[in-house]
Amino acid sequence: MNKIARVPKKGAGRRLAQKLKELGQQKPPQTLIDKINGDEKKKVAAPTPSASKDVEI
Amino acid sequence: MQILRDPEFLSKYFHSLEAQPKCLVDTGFLYALAYADDRLFEQANDLLDLLSDHGVIFYINVISRMEFVDLLFRKQVTQGCIELFSNIKHNTQYKGIFNLLKDIRDKDTAARRKSQSYKLDEYRLKKLRENIKFVHELGGWEDFCQKYVGSMLQNEWMMIEEDLGLNFVEVMEGSVSDEITSPLRWKDMVDLMGEHGLRGPDAMILHLFMKSKFEVLITTDSDFKLCLDNQFFTSRNKAVYLLT
């Protein structure tokens, strides 16, 4: 059985180019960035509650 | 053999054909469709739209099919490298990867100034993989590639080939098909390499073109013009459309 041959869809190349451009502009994986920057061991500390400035009456 | 460069002449050529036009295209044309930093981007996309308007069926061989996706892989990884470089500290302890990424970024910048589209070569690709694995042992390389090209290849590539209208010539040694009217023979291809000083992929395309009923070969490679100026090819009822 003969395959049905494809015909290009108009604008297909530009659509592909846009998709590839958007993919290429993504931020890299954060874990990799952190490893290279030596940030992977820093952990976000639980915020220390600040001393109350309320005045006791 | 005609060498065409003007889309209007190509359009007239298609009109003059009795049956639905069929072409062979090369990897350079496909890549130029996909990246705006390729100097032939606008020309290639305008040509693709012309092919669409005329209902032209175009084919690629298995080598071009592989080369195209390989070029996309290399280019997307290049883009990822540039993004990664812009996100890392210049005083990182990992000087190897820093220097490599800077080198890639600089090469990309230099290529853009010359209206060229830079893609990572095999050497730098290997070095990049080694350096990322050194920094991020588990899954770093895979995650990096997944982001910039892997997910697209896994989830969308078949649809992209369909959207572009890619058809594939898949004929065994010595066989013929609806499109291949004379048997393709490995020896004949190798003879072309020797006689005309062509590299393998170019000789395969030329051999396929001459053995087929494709009316037009669309290429970005001016070496084909030099070969087709040869008297051997002038008697054939075919044309080469050269994007320059």
Side-chain angles (χ1 to χ4, degrees):
Chain A
M1 186 166 128
N2 290 333
K3 285 184 194 174
I4 298 172
R6 297 163 168 166
V7 173
K9 296 188 178 67
K10 202 153 184 172
R14 291 188 170 92
R15 280 194 291 280
L16 174 61
Q18 183 60 28
K19 180 187 293 292
L20 292 170
K21 181 183 173 185
E22 287 168 4
L23 278 176
Q25 287 176 339
Q26 295 178 101
K27 193 175 176 187
Q30 191 61 47
T31 51
L32 180 58
I33 296 172
D34 289 344
K35 289 269 186 186
I36 295 172
N37 289 342
D39 293 338
E40 78 276 17
K41 287 183 183 171
K42 290 182 187 172
K43 290 181 183 173
V44 176
T48 313
S50 54
S52 171
K53 292 185 176 142
D54 291 338
V55 174
E56 283 195 15
I57 299 172
Chain B
M1 177 89 67
Q2 295 182 69
I3 306 291
L4 305 174
R5 290 190 174 86
D6 190 324
E8 276 192 39
F9 284 131
L10 183 63
S11 188
K12 285 177 186 169
Y13 187 81
F14 286 147
H15 275 303
S16 72
L17 299 172
E18 290 174 359
Q20 186 174 20
K22 291 186 179 181
C23 299
L24 184 66
V25 309
D26 75 352
T27 315
F29 169 69
L30 297 176
Y31 182 84
L33 293 173
Y35 289 100
D37 63 357
D38 188 289
R39 64 183 180 83
L40 297 173
F41 174 75
E42 294 295 340
Q43 232 189 99
N45 277 284
D46 289 345
L47 179 57
L48 187 74
D49 288 347
L50 188 152
L51 297 180
S52 178
D53 288 342
H54 283 278
V56 175
I57 300 168
F58 72 87
Y59 290 79
I60 61 174
N61 68 3
V62 67
I63 302 295
S64 291
R65 191 179 190 184
M66 183 278 295
E67 285 182 332
F68 181 40
V69 70
D70 186 64
L71 285 172
L72 257 62
F73 177 86
R74 285 166 51 199
K75 182 64 173 179
Q76 289 304 109
V77 171
T78 303
Q79 302 290 81
C81 288
I82 293 163
E83 288 297 323
L84 184 57
F85 183 70
S86 69
N87 277 275
I88 61 173
K89 296 176 185 171
H90 289 201
N91 61 350
T92 173
Q93 61 175 316
Y94 296 105
K95 293 301 175 197
I97 196 166
F98 175 83
N99 289 334
L100 177 61
L101 292 174
K102 184 178 182 304
D103 174 54
I104 290 166
R105 193 280 310 269
D106 290 347
K107 284 205 160 22
D108 181 75
T109 304
R112 285 176 187 274
R113 288 198 185 116
K114 292 185 278 187
S115 299
Q116 292 170 353
S117 180
Y118 175 70
K119 304 159 279 295
L120 229 56
D121 53 53
E122 182 66 32
Y123 171 76
R124 285 177 179 79
L125 195 60
K126 282 189 190 312
K127 283 290 174 194
L128 180 69
R129 188 185 293 123
E130 282 169 15
N131 275 278
I132 288 181
K133 283 186 181 294
F134 179 72
V135 171
H136 191 331
E137 288 167 4
L138 291 174
W141 171 248
E142 286 80 7
D143 286 348
F144 179 77
C145 290
Q146 184 75 2
K147 182 145 236 176
Y148 292 104
V149 66
S151 60
M152 178 199 67
L153 291 180
Q154 286 172 289
N155 302 319
E156 301 176 60
W157 189 246
M158 295 296 117
M159 289 186 294
I160 288 169
E161 284 187 337
E162 186 167 335
D163 202 32
L164 289 171
L166 301 188
N167 298 283
F168 311 109
V169 178
E170 293 162 335
V171 175
M172 303 292 283
E173 162 88 2
S175 299
V176 297
S177 69
D178 289 343
E179 290 78 35
I180 309 301
T181 50
S182 296
L184 294 177
R185 299 202 189 280
W186 189 255
K187 184 187 180 310
D188 293 341
M189 191 279 293
V190 170
D191 285 350
L192 276 177
M193 288 181 69
E195 185 173 350
H196 298 283
L198 291 174
R199 287 189 55 210
D202 292 343
M204 286 188 78
I205 285 179
L206 193 62
H207 179 51
L208 177 59
F209 184 51
M210 300 315 297
K211 296 288 186 175
S212 72
K213 59 182 184 185
F214 300 133
E215 288 96 356
V216 180
L217 167 63
I218 295 173
T219 179
T220 61
D221 191 343
S222 58
D223 284 350
F224 281 114
K225 178 186 176 302
L226 294 173
C227 177
L228 294 164
D229 281 343
N230 186 300
Q231 200 174 359
F232 172 72
F233 299 106
T234 57
S235 61
R236 313 293 176 103
N237 186 25
K238 291 179 182 287
V240 172
Y241 188 90
L242 185 60
L243 285 92
T244 53

